[in-house]
Amino acid sequence: MRKILLLAGLLAVVGLLIYNFSGSQPIASPLAKTDSAYAAQVQQARAQKNAAFRTAATSPIPVAQRAAFGGLRYYKPNAAYRVVARLTRAAGLAPLPLALTGGAADAYVRWGTAEFELDGQPQKLILLQKQGETRELFLPFTDPTNGRQTYGGGRYLDLPVPAPEASAITLDFNAAYSPFCAYNHDYSCPKPPADNRLTVPVLAGEQLTPE
């Protein structure tokens, strides 16, 4: 029986990389250049995740492979992929079920949209929220790196729900991570919606891990 992907638990370390921005004027440009403190924070979160994957009972790495697990592969931290997006909330939380890799679907709602520029190209992504969730948004996406440098099924971002008055939201693609089914086919993971396809490669976050 396939397990349903859980985004809480050991993947909570990814939250260390997420920065929520709330301002009066939305902008769509990258944040400040990559600095050593930011890079160190990213690397620390990645080291914590590697340790969890190697030892935690909830790790998606098969038990027989954990002792030899050498860690996940990542792009180097790059602040060019930490962008402030124009935030638009949906008028109502309309259902938007996400198909699962193992069949069936998971219950999500369309929370809003994020519009920004990446590599000079305008982009727009749907922000989702799992039904029953109140504190976190879910952003699954695909881009041209999938199946080459990154997992073929796309990657995810977890975001805190912005303050009610916020008109912008930070998307830090350095925190982009692969679903559990990238490491273990016993898991069934949400597929990114077709509208969440970025037109430029996202050379940030988690890469494919050699088998």
Side-chain angles (χ1 to χ4, degrees), residues 98-190:
L98 292 184
L100 298 172
T101 55
D106 228 351
Y108 284 84
V109 295
R110 181 177 180 135
W111 190 91
T113 58
E115 296 180 70
F116 56 99
E117 286 190 0
L118 202 57
D119 197 21
Q121 301 298 315
Q123 310 291 330
K124 183 176 181 179
L125 294 173
I126 299 170
L127 301 169
L128 299 105
Q129 191 170 53
K130 192 174 180 65
Q131 283 193 353
E133 173 64 53
T134 58
R135 296 179 298 177
E136 190 173 71
L137 301 179
F138 181 49
L139 180 53
F141 69 94
T142 58
D143 73 275
T145 68
N146 299 151
R148 297 176 179 142
Q149 299 104 321
T150 63
Y151 177 60
R155 291 179 290 169
Y156 301 160
L157 283 176
D158 297 327
L159 307 166
V161 172
E165 69 278 8
S167 58
I169 186 170
T170 295
L171 308 181
D172 189 350
F173 291 100
N174 293 286
Y177 66 93
S178 303
F180 277 11
C181 51
Y183 327 105
N184 190 329
H185 295 308
D186 285 343
Y187 289 87
S188 186
C189 310

Side-chain angles (χ1 to χ4, degrees), residues 3-180:
K3 304 173 185 176
I4 300 299
L5 173 66
L6 298 177
L7 298 179
L10 68 93
L11 287 181
V13 296
V14 179
L16 293 173
L17 307 179
I18 304 299
Y19 291 85
N20 183 41
F21 176 87
S22 175
S24 58
Q25 294 187 2
I27 58 177
S29 59
L31 297 178
K33 66 179 182 180
T34 307
D35 58 42
S36 57
Y38 170 72
Q41 185 180 29
V42 171
Q43 299 292 13
Q44 180 182 20
R46 292 174 175 180
Q48 290 174 338
K49 184 173 179 178
N50 279 335
F53 269 39
R54 193 175 294 114
T55 62
T58 52
S59 170
I61 305 300
V63 175
Q65 300 176 19
R66 290 179 192 173
F69 175 66
L72 302 172
R73 293 180 63 212
Y74 293 94
Y75 292 101
K76 291 182 179 179
N78 185 345
Y81 291 98
R82 185 164 46 125
V83 299
V84 177
R86 182 177 296 104
L87 175 65
T88 302
R89 290 170 172 79
L93 299 180
L96 184 59
L98 292 184
L100 298 172
T101 55
D106 228 351
Y108 284 84
V109 295
R110 181 177 180 135
W111 190 91
T113 58
E115 296 180 70
F116 56 99
E117 286 190 0
L118 202 57
D119 197 21
Q121 301 298 315
Q123 310 291 330
K124 183 176 181 179
L125 294 173
I126 299 170
L127 301 169
L128 299 105
Q129 191 170 53
K130 192 174 180 65
Q131 283 193 353
E133 173 64 53
T134 58
R135 296 179 298 177
E136 190 173 71
L137 301 179
F138 181 49
L139 180 53
F141 69 94
T142 58
D143 73 275
T145 68
N146 299 151
R148 297 176 179 142
Q149 299 104 321
T150 63
Y151 177 60
R155 291 179 290 169
Y156 301 160
L157 283 176
D158 297 327
L159 307 166
V161 172
E165 69 278 8
S167 58
I169 186 170
T170 295
L171 308 181
D172 189 350
F173 291 100
N174 293 286
Y177 66 93
S178 303
F180 277 11

